[in-house]
Amino acid sequence: MEKLGYKMTASNLMASNAVIVNEGSGVLVNAMTQDYSYVLTAKHVLAKSDSENIVINQFGNGLRVLAVLVGQEEHCDCAVIQIEYVPVVAQQSFPAIALPNSASLKFVGFPGTERQSSTPLKIYDGHVTDVRDGLISFTIEGSPAKTAIDGMSGGGMYYIVNEYPFLVGVEFGMDSIRQDLQYGRIQCQSLISFEKIINLNSAAPMVPAYLECFSRLKEYIFNFNVIDKNRVLNLKSALNIFADELIDQGMPPPFELMSKYKTDLLVGPCQVDVVKNKDLWVAYFEFLIICAILDNVSIANSSYIESLERRRRILYTPDGSNWVGKLDLILKVARKLLDKNGIVIVASPEHGAELLPDNFEVDRVIRNIARIANSGPLAPIDQVEQEMYKSFVLTHLEGLRKKCVINKERVYAEVEAGLDQLQTFKESFNEFIK
């Protein structure tokens, strides 16, 4: 990500999400709404009344406070402040329980002793000492005294992966009740505690940055594994330009679609959090672009997406095993969601996934799931149901990429850039889906 012409480093990103909350600190995060954003902080830094709370960003600008949310557990020193909507919050999270042993972390906040300096925000290095029952104990390098970090309560704790910061918790105090031991060891609440507060108050869930807008996923779409990437550069460029046009013309953000479709996007029983999977939304973005090209439309707004619901669907599974082995589950979802002749495009982390083999015994799968309800095991098959199931088109997104682009990379290299390449793209996909 770049901003104002310079690269957004991990430190830039952490700083962009750091705020001052009264005499303490806080962390900006996304909410699955455009009505407000959140600041996570420590409960003890709150003012006596909600109206007295002051939230200031790293540039010294005040952010309007809308409400303050707290939990029912007195011992839990955490709070969530609803503030005016902040359009760009590049925040992603990482589960504390998954941190490696002694993982290196960074602690970000505004110590009181530095509030009047030219660099009031400080970032401290350190490592995890303990993760237990939603609490993270953290040892700061150099073991600074408590007075050196006063004012950082409510500050964010980050784990850096591939130069990107992932929020894992929020600091609330020292890791000892004895003053002579309060040197460099602090405690943080994991994000689970804040999620509980949000759920208790029936507020919008927190959301990863990539679910805010499809534009945050554009760099991941259509990464064709071709022999010579130069052959598909112009195609990639044309697809990206078209993607931008669809976003600008009112494509709804991923979190809205996630809230609407929920588990209807998944194959089989999955954990609820799977609907937040980035790979799912990269696949969904590609699906919408492909559909818009096939239908020759320039707008993929909510009305258009609703028009797709009964004729085309994308389904995701986090299971990387052969997708054909899940055909019974896929067909059952298709029967529930699609009209006759509907199309299912499966997305999964299966490497080298192929299209449905011509010789695969689909009839056998259908016979096992198209029996008359509440009948004996040898009852005749419901012929109407059987014909319905047989009408569905089943395919895999990776297989489509392979057949329609990767195996045709030479063709795209010979076609004129721009509309001609998109036309070739459309004709290739039309061989398998309509």
Side-chain angles (χ1 to χ4, degrees), residues 337-404:
L337 301 176
L338 292 171
D339 292 332
K340 191 174 183 180
N341 301 314
I343 296 167
V344 174
I345 300 176
V346 176
S348 74
E350 178 188 346
H351 295 296
E354 299 285 352
L355 302 180
L356 190 65
D358 291 337
N359 60 351
F360 186 79
E361 297 179 2
V362 178
D363 285 349
R364 178 180 55 80
V365 179
I366 293 172
R367 285 198 300 272
N368 287 333
I369 61 177
R371 296 191 177 279
I372 298 173
N374 302 317
S375 61
L378 301 179
I381 298 166
D382 188 318
Q383 293 298 318
V384 175
E385 282 292 288
Q386 188 176 15
E387 289 303 313
M388 185 70 175
Y389 281 113
K390 290 179 72 171
S391 76
F392 298 135
V393 176
L394 309 175
T395 188
H396 194 284
L397 185 60
E398 183 61 29
L400 288 172
R401 292 191 192 107
K402 185 180 298 184
K403 292 288 187 180
C404 300

Side-chain angles (χ1 to χ4, degrees), residues 291-311:
C291 287
I293 291 173
L294 293 177
D295 295 335
N296 195 28
V297 300
S298 59
I299 297 176
N301 57 15
S302 297
S303 296
Y304 173 71
I305 293 172
E306 287 177 6
S307 76
L308 294 175
E309 288 179 356
R310 301 298 304 180
R311 58 193 182 101

Side-chain angles (χ1 to χ4, degrees), residues 82-126:
Q82 286 180 337
I83 60 166
E84 60 183 300
Y85 176 64
V86 179
V88 180
V89 181
Q91 189 75 272
Q92 295 192 44
S93 61
F94 190 93
I97 195 67
L99 287 170
N101 187 40
S102 299
S104 296
L105 301 181
K106 291 185 181 291
F107 175 37
V108 183
F110 296 86
T113 54
E114 302 292 329
R115 295 283 169 97
Q116 304 305 316
S117 74
S118 59
T119 55
L121 178 72
K122 299 301 177 187
I123 301 176
Y124 289 113
D125 292 309

